[in-house]
Amino acid sequence: MAALLGACVPAASQAASPQAGPDSASALVAAMRAGRLAPDSLVRRYRARIARTDAGPDGLHAILALNPDAVAQAAALARMRRVRGPLYGLPIMVKDNIETRDPLPTTAGSLALLGNVTHRDAPVIARLRAAGAIVLGKGNLSEWANFRSAHASSGWSAVGGLTRNPYDRARTACGSSAGSAVAVAAGLAAAAIGTETNGSVTCPAAVNGIVGLKPTVGLVSRTFVVPISASQDTPGPMTRTVRDAALLLGVMAGSDPADPATAQADRHRADYLAGLTPDALRGRRIGVLRFAQGKNPELRAVFDAALARLRAQGATLVEIGEFDRKSLGDAELTVLLSEFRTGVNVYLAQTPPAVKTRDLTALIAFDVAHADREMPSFEQDIFEESDKAPALSDPAYLTARATARRLAGAEGIDAMLAHDRLDALVAPTTGPAWLTDLVLGDRPGDGTGAGTLAAVAGYPHLSVPMGRVRGLPVGLSFIGTAWSEPALLAMGYAYEQAMAGGQGLTPQQFPPDGRSPGRPANRSGN
């Protein structure tokens, strides 16, 4: 089976068609279900790839820990010959703010949670495992899902160091699900699970050239996921292709009695693979969010080419010029600060006795006591603000929450869709990856992207590879109203296939060590 898994290179290095890659999750599952590939053999190949490319001073640092039982679990699955679930034998990487029953801590990247070994699966992981997936390991992340400091650098954690972008190691991997995205892009896992509060699935997907889906809040359980915001948090799949994302979402979606937000999930679950046809854009009306296209002329040119491709596939495009995002951002921050303190206090209070930090106040004190390792480059200003934020019963919080939802939902996405009878909205997901700066922190640029609208409204957001700016991947966002995942995935799939058919996804061969051709490894930083 040497053809399967190939060299485990980033997604863009495969054949022009995203569906043609032999190492897509769908292709790997088909091979294992047919008996052409053994699950334990596949796990060993990924582990070997990780050993070659992830660790050491020049490594990608996408992986925090490998599951020591993954090979044995895969071999046991193979012996159960009558069990062939939809994800049979699929090795996945899990962001390290999601609990798994494996003998690994769930750290959120913080030294304070090194003792957080719970020996339990979050319900979303239990669903994936029941479908045949193998937890290969835990992915690095921006510490505390990038909610510790306004001056943080994406992809850095005290536990794992700095995750590097495989297209240019001097540049950001973006968002808090950085390790999950890089694991998929660099061929270290067949797929990954990330989490998003605002941009943490879609931004790393875009800058690492993969597919990322932030589902409707309430479609996927958040139980036993280290929280930021009950209003906005959700796990989501990160994959090589839209088909793979649809495959994983079909398993992940569903209600959970412990998470009240998922009360409607079973009613809205769908066969997400059923609508994936190359002509799914024909007759669709799509709003173009010009206010979110940014000022980079090269990115705008790539976006214009994407719009032309949408038109060529039969979509009608409607220009949408302006939207005031400042008021939305102010209200969102108030909500996140209050919800984080409440949520993290509940979570910490229920951790194993080995975890000594039992609330946010203690966590702040821990970081001060371990400042040399926890705060070598940035502080914890967001933690400190959150510790003083209004309670969830406070009118200031309640007003901010109502305002944020109204601006993003009823007066934002829903109003845009209704005004012009649109099926979805599109915009660049973000700009090309910026240079990592551990002194000044993230510098994402000029307001490119409309992900905050979907994040605050709790609506789905799909990012699909759109093209490249000077060799760096950029993504195209498809945004819709609540529970519109089937339509977004169908449109994203049709766009993906049109990109492939028109050679829009230029193959790029990555060397075996995962380093981008023509770009030296970055030897500075963590």
Side-chain angles (χ1 to χ4, degrees):
M1 297 309 301
L4 287 159
L5 190 59
C8 265
V9 293
S13 69
Q14 296 298 325
S17 170
Q19 286 301 110
D23 53 347
S24 71
S26 301
L28 291 170
V29 169
M32 288 185 285
R33 285 169 62 95
R36 300 193 306 272
L37 176 65
D40 53 324
S41 174
L42 183 59
V43 169
R44 288 190 180 94
R45 294 185 199 182
Y46 278 118
R47 288 175 64 95
R49 173 70 175 172
I50 290 166
R52 291 195 303 270
T53 66
D54 195 64
D58 292 334
L60 293 171
H61 299 170
I63 314 302
L64 279 187
L66 289 174
N67 177 10
D69 299 333
V71 173
Q73 290 170 359
L77 186 68
R79 290 193 294 270
M80 301 170 62
R81 298 186 181 276
R82 294 183 182 180
V83 178
R84 294 290 188 271
L87 301 181
Y88 175 72
L90 188 72
I92 61 170
M93 197 62 59
V94 177
K95 185 177 179 179
D96 197 33
N97 62 347
I98 305 174
E99 293 184 14
T100 72
R101 71 185 188 211
D102 312 294
L104 301 171
T106 298
T107 70
S110 171
L111 300 174
L113 292 186
L114 286 177
N116 190 30
V117 183
T118 66
H119 301 291
R120 64 189 180 190
D121 277 338
V124 65
I125 301 301
R127 285 179 172 270
L128 291 161
R129 235 191 269 267
I134 302 294
V135 174
L136 185 61
K138 305 297 281 290
N140 199 5
L141 70 161
S142 306
E143 187 168 321
W144 293 104
N146 226 6
F147 202 71
R148 200 189 84 187
S149 172
H151 309 289
S153 293
S154 286
W156 183 90
S157 73
V159 176
L162 179 66
T163 303
R164 296 191 172 106
N165 189 312
Y167 286 84
D168 184 341
R169 296 189 182 198
R171 294 183 180 270
T172 185
C174 194
S176 71
S177 301
S180 296
V182 171
V184 175
L188 308 182
I193 308 302
T195 66
E196 175 159 326
T197 304
N198 186 341
S200 288
V201 165
T202 50
C203 183
V207 305
N208 288 284
I210 66 169
V211 174
L213 174 65
K214 182 200 83 74
T216 301
V217 173
L219 184 61
V220 178
S221 168
R222 293 91 52 85
T223 300
F224 303 147
V225 177
V226 180
I228 291 178
S229 165
S231 297
Q232 295 180 208
D233 290 350
T234 180
M238 307 183 77
T239 60
R240 289 178 177 267
T241 70
V242 175
R243 177 175 291 278
D244 290 351
L247 176 66
L248 265 68
L249 182 64
V251 171
M252 296 167 67
S255 63
D256 168 21
D259 184 355
T262 66
Q264 299 183 59
D266 289 342
R267 182 157 63 91
H268 290 285
R269 282 185 69 199
D271 181 350
Y272 301 107
L273 294 170
L276 303 188
T277 61
D279 63 351
L281 283 163
R282 186 171 299 130
R284 300 280 191 173
R285 293 177 57 82
I286 298 175
V288 179
L289 303 183
R290 287 293 181 187
F291 63 82
Q293 70 178 355
K295 298 177 182 178
N296 183 322
E298 294 175 84
L299 175 64
R300 292 171 73 158
V302 173
F303 184 44
D304 285 339
L307 298 178
R309 190 165 282 112
L310 293 173
R311 287 192 194 95
Q313 296 305 305
T316 297
L317 303 186
V318 178
E319 298 281 334
I320 299 175
E322 298 296 332
F323 183 83
D324 178 14
R325 291 181 280 181
K326 183 180 185 306
S327 297
L328 175 60
D330 293 343
E332 179 195 21
L333 180 58
T334 297
V335 171
L336 298 186
L337 290 171
S338 292
E339 292 187 349
F340 177 71
R341 184 185 63 191
T342 299
V344 82
N345 282 352
V346 170
Y347 183 85
L348 290 172
Q350 298 174 354
T351 52
V355 177
K356 305 304 180 184
T357 52
R358 312 305 290 182
D359 59 23
L360 179 55
T361 303
L363 187 57
I364 291 170
F366 177 94
D367 287 345
V368 171
H370 300 83
D372 58 331
R373 298 172 66 192
E374 279 288 352
M375 299 192 291
S377 301
F378 55 90
E379 304 294 324
Q380 52 181 343
D381 44 289
I382 290 178
F383 272 13
E384 291 163 354
E385 286 185 68
S386 180
D387 206 32
K388 297 179 288 188
L392 299 189
S393 58
D394 191 292
Y397 162 76
L398 294 171
T399 298
R401 185 168 180 262
T403 299
R405 287 195 167 188
R406 172 175 53 80
L407 292 176
E411 297 179 8
I413 293 172
D414 289 332
M416 294 178 203
L417 295 173
H419 184 269
D420 291 298
R421 296 174 289 108
L422 303 175
D423 297 294
L425 308 170
V426 295
T429 307
T430 189
W434 57 91
L435 290 169
T436 297
D437 188 337
L438 292 173
V439 176
L440 299 178
D442 286 339
R443 291 176 289 172
D446 58 3
T448 303
T452 293
L453 278 168
V456 176
Y459 291 175
H461 177 186
L462 173 69
S463 181
V464 178
M466 178 170 69
R468 295 201 180 136
V469 173
R470 301 198 181 193
L472 298 171
V474 289
L476 178 66
S477 290
F478 291 84
I479 294 170
T481 192
W483 317 113
S484 62
E485 284 84 355
L488 298 186
L489 287 163
M491 286 182 272
Y493 176 84
Y495 176 80
E496 178 187 67
Q497 298 308 298
M499 283 282 286
Q503 301 297 307
L505 297 176
T506 305
Q508 181 179 11
Q509 183 64 43
F510 275 57
D513 69 354
R515 188 176 305 151
S516 305
R519 297 182 185 273
N522 174 27
R523 297 178 183 270
S524 63
N526 294 285

